[in-house]
Amino acid sequence: MNNKNSSGLKGLGPLGWLLQVITGVFLIFFLGIHLYLANIDFGHPIRFFTAVLENLHNGYWLAFYIVFTYIVLYHGLNGVRGILYDRFDSQKSRALIKYSLSVLYVVTAIYETLLALAVSRIAIP
């Protein structure tokens, strides 16, 4: 194993590193809102579930949840890519990792979008 990229996200390049930092900052914001709603504002799981359903009927909140999951997904997979790049440093391995994680991102993003849209149509109890 080559040690030239052993310092974490360095192997991702400047754009990958910058996007990792930007999505990390957004995660702090989005996660803060999510935790506030889940634990402080509602406190009880049933009230929280009902509130999420009500929020998903609002287009702005639906967009918030979808963007939140896109950012979580990107941040997580980009971190996995950085870890795998530290382990596998051949161009062939990195290309396979990059394309595999890209396909996983697209498939998961499509699934979560369809799921959020389906849940947004559930009748509020």
Side-chain angles (χ1 to χ4, degrees), residues 24-35:
V25 170
F26 276 107
L27 280 177
I28 292 169
F29 170 73
F30 284 121
L31 189 60
I33 291 174
H34 173 75
L35 290 175

Side-chain angles (χ1 to χ4, degrees), residues 40-106:
I40 296 171
D41 199 25
F42 298 105
H44 192 273
I46 300 299
R47 285 191 354 212
F48 177 62
F49 176 74
T50 304
V52 169
L53 282 181
E54 289 172 359
N55 287 345
L56 286 174
H57 283 82
N58 178 325
Y60 294 113
W61 277 107
L62 179 61
F64 169 84
Y65 285 117
I66 290 173
V67 169
F68 178 49
T69 55
Y70 287 169
I71 289 174
V72 168
L73 183 60
Y74 175 84
H75 188 82
L77 291 178
N78 198 39
V80 168
R81 183 174 66 134
I83 292 167
L84 292 175
Y85 275 17
D86 282 348
R87 175 66 179 97
F88 303 100
D89 56 357
S90 75
Q91 289 300 99
K92 187 176 180 181
S93 296
R94 287 184 175 201
L96 179 63
I97 291 166
K98 180 181 178 181
Y99 295 119
S100 298
L101 292 177
S102 295
V103 167
L104 181 61
Y105 179 87
V106 169

